[in-house]
Amino acid sequence: MTDTKRPRIPRGLRPDGAALWSYGFRPFFLGGAVWAAMAMALWIAALIHGLPLGGDYGPVLWHAHEMVFGFAPAVLAGFLLTAIPNWTGSLPVSGRALIGLFSVWAAGRAAMAGAALTGTGVAALIDAAFLPLLLAIAAREIVAGRKWNDLKVLAGVAAIMAGNLGFHGAVLLEGDPAAWLRAAVAGYVMLVLIIGGRIIPSFTRNWLNRQGAGTMPVPYNRFDMGAIAVSALALAAWTLAPEAPLSALACAVAGLMNAARLARWRGWATRPEPLLWVLHLAYAFVPLGFGTISAAGLGIVQPVSALHVLTVGVIGAMMLAVMSRATRGHTGRALTASRVTALSYLCLFAAALARPLADLTGSAGLMEAAGILWILAFGIFVAEHYGMLMFRRRQAGGVQAARA
């Protein structure tokens, strides 16, 4: 009889086949981060070696789709399926239902990657199934919990879903999907304005209170409501007429209002804690994005530069920030970031600056560097948080910790 050596289990953890499917953040944060890195690697391979991607979509549209409608919806799903039970007091979607929903998302990634084999129509049909399911689940839970104030979150999800459907329709009809892509990006930015405007000052206030600080972030008031309303109008104008002077003016005003909104949250006081300053810095890309849109409308920069400020700087950075914080909080860890986590943030912010600079300078090297930095950021997240997401701790107090 031979003695086989068993794999070593991380200390304080126990193997549990059901752990991965116990909460939405586990499979969707892990799957979304893995796909963020893989899809970017494939895009770099297409740029350097001419790797064919996406069949009739083509490499450029495939890349745009998989960042906005592939990676990002997974992280959004992980957040909503974890946050909504906290908002409503309901049980989380788990087990077979969660496996089924994740499988639909994964099938969409496979279909889009293999669109040359399945055909554009079949790929579009498979991919388009996920977001309506997510919207239906989120709506059911919010309505059942009678959390009517949270219904506004569904508007952002609906905009992203409509953008995906329109994107596929435009490609199938040989049209231009750019407006649909902007509509989805606008939906994500609105979610950052609404949800970020709730959690950033709240988390900051709690942390400052523990530090004994005397001055706290300004509470949500009419100015925040006005900033969100102006931003919604500006994003609608950008979606429909990105280069119109009126859109440039509206985005300039929205940018100033969001800069003032951010300044009211005392982000500079959170320098010692990366889990907090990353949220403030990610939100800082909102006014920067609006400013870049305005500059693009005036012909100062290229429109694609504005798009990348929003997609990488706002959406990507905010998602990485929320993923790392929620993973630690909901698995019972201390809400403090390691140096490795801080490094992942710095990589992503560097990518957020390098990518629009690549558009401005026409530098292929900067574009590839931005892609590599993106891969490093999400690769670091996977390496550091894999055990947290795959295993269940013996003792956990995740929900309360995540709210702190």
Side-chain angles (χ1 to χ4, degrees), residues 305-353:
S305 298
L307 185 67
H308 282 120
V309 170
L310 294 177
T311 53
V312 184
V314 178
I315 300 171
M318 189 62 75
M319 286 187 167
L320 183 62
V322 169
M323 287 163 65
S324 53
R325 182 184 183 92
T327 297
R328 297 195 66 84
H330 283 277
T331 57
R333 271 82 177 178
L335 285 175
T336 186
S338 67
R339 292 182 179 180
V340 175
T341 300
L343 177 61
S344 71
Y345 298 158
L346 294 176
C347 285
L348 194 55
F349 286 126
L353 295 174

Side-chain angles (χ1 to χ4, degrees), residues 29-372:
F29 284 179
L30 186 59
V34 168
W35 186 241
M38 288 181 60
M40 186 62 71
L42 290 172
W43 168 237
I44 293 174
L47 287 176
I48 298 176
H49 303 294
L51 178 71
L53 286 174
D56 291 340
Y57 287 92
V60 174
L61 289 182
W62 180 87
H63 165 68
H65 182 276
E66 288 308 289
M67 291 294 102
V68 176
F69 302 114
F71 142 73
V75 180
L76 178 61
F79 172 80
L80 290 177
L81 294 176
T82 305
I84 290 176
N86 283 347
W87 301 343
T88 63
S90 61
L91 293 174
V93 176
S94 60
R96 292 181 179 179
L98 183 56
I99 293 173
L101 185 63
F102 183 82
S103 298
V104 172
W105 173 79
R109 311 288 57 76
M112 289 299 296
L117 300 175
T118 63
T120 307
V122 173
L125 187 64
I126 295 173
D127 173 73
F130 176 70
L131 281 167
L133 282 174
L134 177 62
L135 180 62
I137 291 171
R140 181 196 67 187
E141 296 300 316
I142 290 175
V143 171
R146 298 182 180 274
K147 292 293 183 178
W148 311 119
N149 288 336
D150 294 323
L151 284 174
K152 57 182 175 289
V153 172
L154 301 183
V157 182
I160 298 164
M161 179 189 71
N164 191 34
L165 294 174
F167 185 100
H168 287 304
V171 172
L172 290 170
L173 297 174
E174 299 182 356
D176 184 4
W180 296 105
L181 189 67
R182 290 194 299 272
V185 171
Y188 285 115
V189 173
M190 284 304 301
L191 289 174
V192 169
L193 296 176
I194 294 169
I195 300 174
R198 176 191 298 181
I199 66 174
I200 297 173
S202 175
F203 293 162
T204 302
R205 184 179 299 108
N206 293 344
W207 186 83
L208 289 175
N209 187 55
R210 289 195 296 270
Q211 307 308 308
T215 306
M216 297 293 164
V218 178
Y220 186 93
N221 57 26
R222 291 182 179 180
F223 180 81
D224 295 273
M225 296 172 62
I228 292 173
V230 170
S231 298
L233 293 174
L235 288 168
W238 172 65
T239 298
L240 298 173
E243 299 180 20
L246 185 60
S247 300
L249 177 61
C251 286
V253 174
L256 291 173
M257 293 186 74
N258 277 285
R261 191 185 188 204
L262 177 62
R264 290 150 46 98
W265 296 339
R266 295 184 52 79
W268 60 87
T270 66
R271 293 188 304 274
E273 181 47 65
L275 280 182
L276 281 174
W277 61 247
V278 67
L279 292 168
H280 290 267
L281 193 52
Y283 197 94
F285 276 83
V286 172
L288 180 60
F290 276 120
T292 312
I293 292 173
S294 184
L298 297 175
I300 300 173
V301 300
Q302 300 177 46
V304 69
S305 298
L307 185 67
H308 282 120
V309 170
L310 294 177
T311 53
V312 184
V314 178
I315 300 171
M318 189 62 75
M319 286 187 167
L320 183 62
V322 169
M323 287 163 65
S324 53
R325 182 184 183 92
T327 297
R328 297 195 66 84
H330 283 277
T331 57
R333 271 82 177 178
L335 285 175
T336 186
S338 67
R339 292 182 179 180
V340 175
T341 300
L343 177 61
S344 71
Y345 298 158
L346 294 176
C347 285
L348 194 55
F349 286 126
L353 295 174
R355 187 59 186 85
L357 282 176
D359 297 324
L360 289 172
T361 62
S363 170
L366 268 178
M367 186 178 296
E368 293 163 10
I372 292 171

